[in-house]
Amino acid sequence: MAVLAIMDHRLSRRDAWLLCCMAIGLHILPLVLADLAYIDDVWRSQLAGQLQDPGDSWTGQGRVLVDVLYSGLGFDKATPNIYPLPLLLAMVVAAKALSDLAFHYFEAPTGTALLVVLPLWYNPFFLQNLSYQYDGAAMALALAASVMAITQGARHRWGTGLAMVLVAAAASLYQISVNVFAGLCCIEVIRQVAAHAPLRQVVRQLARRLVQLLGGGLLYLLTGYRLIDVPRTALLPLDHAWPETLARRLLLAFEHVGLLVTTGTAWLFLILAGLAGATLVLRSWQVLRSARPVISRVALLALLWCSLVALMLLVPGISLLFDYYNQGARLLMGVGPAMVLVLLLAHERLAGLHGRLAWFTVIPLVFMLSFSYAYGRLLVAQKEMERVMTSSIAQAIQANPAVYDAKRFYILGHDSRQVWLPAGSGSFQAMPALRYVFAIAYQVLPEMMPRVGMTTFGSHPPLQKAQVLASSPQPQVDGKFFAIHRVGDVGYVLMKPIIDAEAFHK
């Protein structure tokens, strides 16, 4: 009852912070319990930061503050895996950022105000970011820095300079997080117009936020960006195919977002879209009917709807402009601000009808929370699959005299073209977005083998699969998922294509 009383009355900043910590902790609990080394975590944990290729470092990717973060937490240049400590620390910082954003949006925030800002973290696609035991904490801090740039940039006398520093820091942790700041800037303009602010004030707000964004970007270009040495920063060529390529990428991004809409959730998204749309139409009508000059009314409407369009473009955001287009869910951090706007508008419409109706906004949060727990179960299933695969390979090598004395082993063909996880087939069918966010398209990696005592596995095989088969046509071990061939003193584990159906039929 005490919690309900707090949630129904104006929150103090401390109460809001604690409630955000609880909400975020509840959201990341399934990931922490799963404790799965996700993709890059496998080799980062194995090497503990003692990288042989400088291109694998965070600094070489322009994310210099990630190296600073883990050097500080590890008390050394090496970065041993200390998960989930970094994520828990980042959770506290992010909770503070979100609670401050609630106070920025509402003069007297109650529990429903927190529901409006939580989608920045609860964003289903952000789960892929949080899945990384190393990078997850850095991406969470980047999100927090982007949000703080909005709130601190409006509260202090030197807010513009502080916001620039925070934007640069966010980019130095994870460049895509700048989409979050830009998206929240669009919401700032929409809020100003909706609050009947004069055109001069709206333009001043827009100019201030643009200065913060561009200044932060310039500061990052002069610092972290100069350290990038990976070949993935080339921009998309400005040729005749540029508009078509952008349109195709944007459509693909929205198709991925559309995976959240199923027969079970369509009603929820329709209601939210209807409420948000009705609020926007009402505000636009109020601007048109106001006593302002015609030019001011037209300009305000243009700013309102252009900001809305910009917010939609920021769903994939700056990733659209790179020559190499990564379709990963972790790049869709821009979905968070879009969800915040929808809930902000829906909250306004519902609260205008009756204060208690604003609690309807808890339903989309419950859906996102359910999505997180379903995702956590998939991580557990994947962990079990990896354990079985690595143990099977180790046992096959140890039980066969023809291969166990090989001096070196390599795994070939360990990547598959699609996710294959029979234990998750039902979940994938019920929530199609889970497969896209999950995105693990392998059953075993060579870096996993030391976990079962096999320390002679390497990552850079001297021969390709065709060369191995030409030198050793008959395998020494032939199993369901792999075959082991030997060429001289080197053993090759050739993963077989998976042709079995994923779905389980009882």
Side-chain angles (χ1 to χ4, degrees), residues 55 100 267 344 355 421:
D100 285 348
W267 65 272
L344 189 63
L421 188 65

Side-chain angles (χ1 to χ4, degrees), residues 130-358:
L130 297 175
S131 299
Y132 290 90
Q133 295 184 349
Y134 276 90
D135 289 87
M139 295 176 184
L141 288 174
L143 172 69
S146 297
V147 176
M148 287 179 176
I150 290 292
T151 56
Q152 303 304 315
R155 289 173 59 185
H156 298 284
R157 179 181 179 183
W158 301 101
T160 297
L162 180 58
M164 290 180 184
V165 173
L166 287 168
V167 170
S172 295
L173 287 163
Y174 187 53
Q175 294 91 337
I176 300 300
S177 64
V178 175
N179 291 342
V180 175
F181 175 76
L184 293 176
C185 288
C186 294
I187 295 178
E188 290 295 281
V189 174
I190 294 172
R191 288 180 62 244
Q192 289 276 320
V193 176
H196 310 291
L199 177 61
R200 180 177 298 179
Q201 180 178 330
V202 177
V203 172
R204 188 184 301 117
Q205 174 72 229
L206 175 61
R208 185 180 185 185
R209 293 302 181 180
L210 284 176
V211 168
Q212 292 172 355
L213 177 61
L214 296 176
L218 178 60
L219 184 59
Y220 172 69
L221 290 176
L222 295 175
T223 54
Y225 182 81
R226 297 173 64 87
L227 302 174
I228 294 179
D229 58 9
V230 293
R232 291 183 295 179
T233 58
L235 296 178
L236 186 66
L238 283 171
D239 53 22
H240 66 282
W242 192 77
E244 180 183 352
T245 302
L246 285 185
R248 185 173 62 253
R249 292 177 174 182
L250 190 62
L251 179 61
L252 183 61
F254 283 117
E255 286 178 355
H256 289 147
V257 176
L259 293 174
L260 294 172
V261 183
T262 65
T263 54
T265 61
W267 65 272
L268 175 60
F269 287 103
L270 284 174
I271 291 175
L272 290 173
L275 290 169
T279 306
L280 279 175
V281 170
L282 177 61
R283 292 305 186 188
S284 299
W285 179 250
Q286 291 173 345
V287 171
L288 283 175
R289 293 293 302 272
S290 65
R292 304 173 185 182
V294 175
I295 295 179
S296 295
R297 284 179 278 169
V298 172
L300 286 170
L301 281 179
L303 288 171
L304 173 67
W305 290 96
C306 286
S307 296
L308 181 63
V309 172
L311 184 61
M312 295 300 103
L313 292 175
L314 286 165
V315 167
I318 59 176
S319 62
L320 292 172
L321 303 178
F322 290 103
D323 190 29
Y324 170 75
Y325 181 57
N326 191 321
Q327 302 178 24
R330 65 184 180 277
L331 273 72
L332 296 183
M333 292 181 69
V335 172
M339 288 181 169
V340 167
L341 177 63
V342 170
L343 289 190
L344 189 63
L345 295 172
H347 182 280
E348 178 185 333
R349 182 87 337 256
L350 291 168
L353 298 173
H354 191 283
R356 289 294 178 90
L357 286 178

Side-chain angles (χ1 to χ4, degrees), residues 48 50 67-80:
Q50 322 255 338
D67 275 317
V68 174
L69 170 67
Y70 280 102
S71 295
L73 291 177
F75 294 90
D76 198 346
K77 292 183 178 179
T79 54

Side-chain angles (χ1 to χ4, degrees), residues 11 345 494:
L11 298 174
L345 295 172
L494 304 186

Side-chain angles (χ1 to χ4, degrees), residues 13 16-18 20 94-104 109 114 117:
R13 288 190 177 271
W17 186 4
L18 291 176
C20 281
K96 177 59 176 173
L98 293 183
S99 62
D100 285 348
L101 185 63
F103 277 84
H104 179 71
L114 301 184
V117 300

Side-chain angles (χ1 to χ4, degrees), residues 25 43 105 111 130 147 176 222 225 276 288 302 324 380 397 403 410 435 444 470 481 490:
W43 61 265
Y105 285 162
L130 297 175
V147 176
I176 300 300
L222 295 175
Y225 182 81
L288 283 175
Y324 170 75
V380 172
I397 292 174
V403 293
Y410 297 95
R435 188 184 295 275
V444 64
F481 296 108
V490 180

